[in-house]
Amino acid sequence: RAKERGRNTFQFFAPSMNTLAVERMVIEKNMRKAMGGTEFQLYYQPKVCLQSGKIVGMEALLRWENPELGFVNPQKSIPIAEETRLIIQLGHWIIESACQQIKRLEQINPDISIAVNLSVVQFNSPDLVSEIKGVIEDTGIDPQKLQVEVTESILIQDSTLAINILKNLNNLGIKVCIDDFGTGYSSLSYLKNMPIDYLKIDQSFVRDLIDPTNETITCAVVALARSLGMKTIAEGVETAEQKKFLQTIDCDEGQGYLFSKPLQACQAEELLLKGTLFS
Ligand code: C2E
Ligand code: MG
Ligand code: MG
Ligand code: MG
């Protein structure tokens, strides 16, 4: 197509494609160098009980500050970590760090849980369950306090394999949360066969609760979860109106800038000392 339009068009496209490819290579190079070092950090964003205002958990979110690249956001770094499979090593560090953080947080609040995001690549790695089991044993945490967040995309692949992995995770005692729920294409009929503890309503529905369609979808997800014996959490809660609506439909938990942005570990500990974010 570029050829049809002549040489100039082709020359216009080629450098921009190069820029992307080069950027990707530079990120990959720096990521390999950063492995095992101190450039990666986990931030923690509170999850709040919408009835009591109490912090009930935290989600670990990856942050990467590189001397050459500055802050690289997860939307950029995670896909490259997945393609290169560096996510396996990085993911192990994330699970390990989160479990160590559970030990610290439980001294402040014995019931607090921490959620880690699992990439599909990690989820499909044959070692995932034994790896998590190993970290639980090494750190000595109560497995009930560890949550994993996975997206619906794991449910649409090979569902029998996914069900088996979820069952094995469930047998370890850890909790499973389906992240960004409502944005994927998971068949609802699969859900009833799966040991899932939480549905996390995607922030795109929460953000525009003014839109009656999103209100309807959010209500329907809460009702679906309840009828399947699962709990619900809404992500991206930014306004008091959104919180109020979620409370009226009995959504269990909320997370978002209204309550707190993701925090450095020490700040998260300080906030947990406060314990309750509204009453
Ligand atoms: P996610 O798991 O759905 O995380 C929610 C994202 O929304 C986070 O962005 C969070 O900082 C942001 N957020 C939280 N509250 C609000 C709010 O009130 N308003 C708005 N507009 N945004 C809010 P973040 O940290 O940039 O992460 C983006 C995505 O990258 C995550 O989406 C997750 O899919 C992935 N990710 C982050 N950390 C990890 C990790 O450690 N491992 C893996 N595999 N993926 C990760
Ligand atoms: Mg998440
Ligand atoms: Mg999410
Ligand atoms: Mg999301």
Side-chain angles (χ1 to χ4, degrees):
R1 181 129 328 150
K3 217 173 177 181
E4 273 170 33
R5 288 190 198 139
R7 252 190 108 85
N8 288 337
T9 324
F10 180 76
Q11 283 177 339
F12 177 76
F13 276 114
S16 75
M17 280 168 60
N18 266 330
T19 311
L20 269 182
V22 168
E23 188 195 27
R24 199 202 157 284
M25 273 171 54
V26 173
I27 293 178
E28 180 182 337
K29 181 198 77 186
N30 280 293
M31 192 180 283
R32 286 189 192 280
K33 266 204 290 188
M35 284 291 145
T38 55
E39 290 177 27
F40 292 106
Q41 257 194 303
L42 288 182
Y43 273 47
Y44 294 91
Q45 187 179 34
K47 296 182 173 185
V48 185
C49 168
L50 288 172
Q51 293 310 312
S52 68
K54 284 201 182 94
I55 299 174
V56 291
M58 305 253 178
E59 177 179 6
L61 292 160
L62 185 70
R63 296 292 177 263
W64 178 26
E65 189 180 10
N66 177 262
E68 183 179 342
L69 301 165
F71 281 100
V72 186
N73 73 37
Q75 268 102 336
K76 210 164 227 178
S77 62
I78 297 288
I80 294 175
E82 289 176 333
E83 283 166 42
T84 55
R85 297 191 67 82
L86 288 170
I87 192 69
I88 300 291
Q89 190 189 340
L90 188 58
H92 184 85
W93 173 82
I94 291 167
I95 295 165
E96 205 168 43
S97 308
C99 288
Q100 283 158 357
Q101 188 63 12
I102 290 175
K103 299 294 283 180
R104 293 172 62 90
L105 294 186
E106 70 188 1
Q107 292 172 7
I108 304 172
N109 174 344
D111 300 319
I112 203 81
S113 65
I114 288 186
V116 294
N117 292 284
L118 286 188
S119 125
V120 190
V121 176
Q122 283 172 284
F123 190 82
N124 288 333
S125 134
D127 301 326
L128 176 75
V129 176
S130 62
E131 184 188 334
I132 295 182
K133 186 166 182 273
V135 176
I136 290 172
E137 285 166 1
D138 292 347
T139 53
I141 61 146
D142 172 359
Q144 307 277 348
K145 291 181 183 166
L146 180 63
Q147 249 186 54
V148 291
E149 296 192 4
V150 288
T151 57
E152 276 172 276
S153 52
I154 60 138
L155 307 180
I156 51 176
Q157 315 167 55
D158 184 346
S159 68
T160 44
L161 191 70
I163 291 176
N164 270 325
I165 298 169
L166 289 173
K167 282 189 175 149
N168 289 334
L169 293 173
N170 184 59
N171 287 339
L172 290 182
I174 72 178
K175 304 270 182 260
V176 175
C177 173
I178 303 297
D179 207 346
D180 307 332
F181 188 77
T183 59
Y185 304 90
S186 65
S187 156
L188 294 182
S189 66
Y190 287 159
L191 279 179
K192 69 173 195 293
N193 302 320
M194 302 214 171
I196 293 164
D197 301 281
Y198 279 89
L199 298 183
K200 191 181 230 187
I201 304 163
D202 189 66
Q203 49 184 286
S204 59
F205 305 120
V206 179
R207 191 180 306 135
D208 276 328
L209 278 174
I210 306 278
D211 177 348
T213 318
N214 285 335
E215 225 181 79
T216 308
I217 291 171
T218 301
C219 266
V221 173
V222 171
L224 173 73
R226 188 171 304 126
S227 69
L228 293 171
M230 302 169 186
K231 292 178 114 186
T232 44
I233 173 163
E235 67 175 10
V237 183
E238 293 182 352
T239 69
E241 289 72 34
Q242 292 164 348
K243 177 185 123 200
K244 192 173 257 167
F245 173 75
L246 293 164
Q247 286 171 322
T248 59
I249 65 166
D250 279 332
C251 179
D252 297 291
E253 295 171 18
Q255 199 182 13
Y257 297 161
L258 177 68
F259 309 119
S260 168
K261 61 185 202 297
L263 303 169
Q264 281 188 306
C266 57
Q267 291 178 302
E269 286 162 35
E270 256 168 57
L271 191 66
L272 188 60
L273 279 170
K274 224 170 97 183
T276 302
L277 298 186
F278 62 85
S279 51

